[in-house]
Amino acid sequence: MKKIGLGIMVLLVAGMVFADDKDKVGKVIIATDTTFAPFEFQDPQQKYVGIDIDLLAAIAADQKFTYTLKPLGFNAAVAALESGQADGVIAGMSITNERKQKYNFSAPYYDSGVVMAIKNDNNTIKSYADLKGKKVAVKTGTEGATFAESIQAQYNFALVYFDESPFMYEDVKIGNSAACFEDYPVMGYGIAQGNGLKIVTGMEKGSSYGFAVVKGKNAALLAAFDRGLANLKASGAYQKIIDKYISTK
Ligand code: GLN
């Protein structure tokens, strides 16, 4: 009787340890973009700040997990996730149907869309048709690039690929590319900050941003992110973070 009791106890304790292990996040590696203001960018002291960075910090504090942030660039961040060098990605990453085949996403935390931007003193480009025979800058692996690729044959332009948003804008400003395609929340913010570009066409439908893990992996981390995000929304902390970077008035 005594022996059986002890055996059951050992099993119970083992079960608890395993269950606990499965739900615990511990220390994780989160990959992000290098420059994608207002979601991730460096402040004058070179410290990473932005909506994604602050959200992640607040969620980790709320859910009691620790992490190392790796600003790698968008395409590189997704590659790091895929190869197991990162546990999650927060990088203004759009929740697209295609990506859902490979990744599990958190609840959406910010709505987006794709816009074309041109140099602010350009008065000749008024529509996609005016891109004919010209170069168009896009950022590798992004929803903006996918959109540009989808209309390339129709409007007959050439695509130039960049790994980072600022290089893409620069190519438009020096006149090598006639336009670039970028997420509206980022381009709108950049224009307001005086990045030298302007938008002359409407916004294309895009997907909302979500935190991503590889499908079937890091379930505890994803669940913690979702719980934390819900808590931040309920407490008003989420809105405070948004307001810190984007003035809605
Ligand atoms: N939202 C876009 C995407 O997911 C771009 C993200 C980025 O450049 N950081 O493709």
Side-chain angles (χ1 to χ4, degrees):
M1 211 40 210
K2 239 186 181 176
K3 264 188 191 162
I4 292 168
L6 191 69
I8 288 171
M9 229 175 82
V10 168
L11 279 176
L12 276 176
V13 170
M16 276 165 66
V17 168
F18 281 119
D20 189 43
D21 231 37
K22 192 164 66 68
D23 295 333
K24 238 177 93 181
V25 174
K27 187 166 175 124
V28 289
I29 296 171
I30 308 295
T32 187
D33 203 344
T34 43
T35 313
F36 201 56
F39 295 91
E40 41 268 344
F41 59 102
Q42 285 171 286
D43 72 7
Q45 284 75 46
Q46 312 284 99
K47 190 180 155 245
Y48 266 94
V49 293
I51 294 170
D52 284 349
I53 308 301
D54 289 14
L55 269 183
L56 176 63
I59 288 169
D62 183 75
Q63 293 294 311
K64 302 189 173 46
F65 67 84
T66 52
Y67 61 91
T68 306
L69 185 74
K70 284 199 178 168
L72 302 171
F74 182 70
N75 204 36
V78 174
L81 181 66
E82 213 146 310
S83 66
Q85 287 167 289
D87 297 297
V89 166
I90 188 159
M93 184 171 176
S94 307
I95 307 171
T96 65
N97 284 332
E98 203 192 348
R99 286 178 184 158
K100 277 194 210 160
Q101 314 297 313
K102 291 158 95 179
Y103 314 108
N104 286 331
F105 286 95
S106 68
Y109 65 83
Y110 204 88
D111 292 336
S112 188
V114 169
V115 286
M116 176 177 84
I118 60 174
K119 200 174 172 194
N120 62 11
D121 64 1
N122 180 325
N123 296 314
T124 58
I125 299 201
K126 296 184 172 72
S127 71
Y128 299 155
D130 298 322
L131 298 175
K132 192 175 179 211
K134 300 205 158 46
K135 280 187 224 158
V136 169
V138 291
K139 185 167 155 191
T140 307
T142 62
E143 197 172 33
T146 303
F147 174 73
E149 286 157 4
S150 77
I151 60 164
Q152 182 183 18
Q154 186 185 350
Y155 295 106
N156 241 302
F157 52 78
L159 285 170
V160 193
Y161 289 84
F162 294 90
D163 280 333
E164 301 193 30
S165 288
F167 299 155
M168 174 168 80
Y169 307 161
E170 203 49 40
D171 206 57
V172 175
K173 280 198 281 183
I174 62 169
N176 184 51
S177 286
C180 65
F181 283 88
E182 176 66 288
D183 288 3
Y184 178 72
V186 170
M187 185 51 70
Y189 179 90
I191 289 171
Q193 302 274 312
N195 72 358
L197 303 179
K198 69 178 175 185
I199 298 168
V200 292
T201 45
M203 184 174 85
E204 302 293 340
K205 196 177 153 351
S207 317
S208 301
Y209 296 163
F211 170 76
V213 296
V214 167
K215 204 167 185 173
K217 276 178 75 182
N218 281 301
L221 171 60
L222 186 60
F225 189 95
D226 271 330
R227 278 194 307 268
L229 179 62
N231 288 346
L232 297 189
K233 284 199 168 169
S235 72
Y238 167 87
Q239 196 54 47
K240 260 199 189 140
I241 291 172
I242 302 294
D243 292 345
K244 182 173 163 194
Y245 295 100
I246 299 172
S247 80
T248 44
K249 282 148 225 157

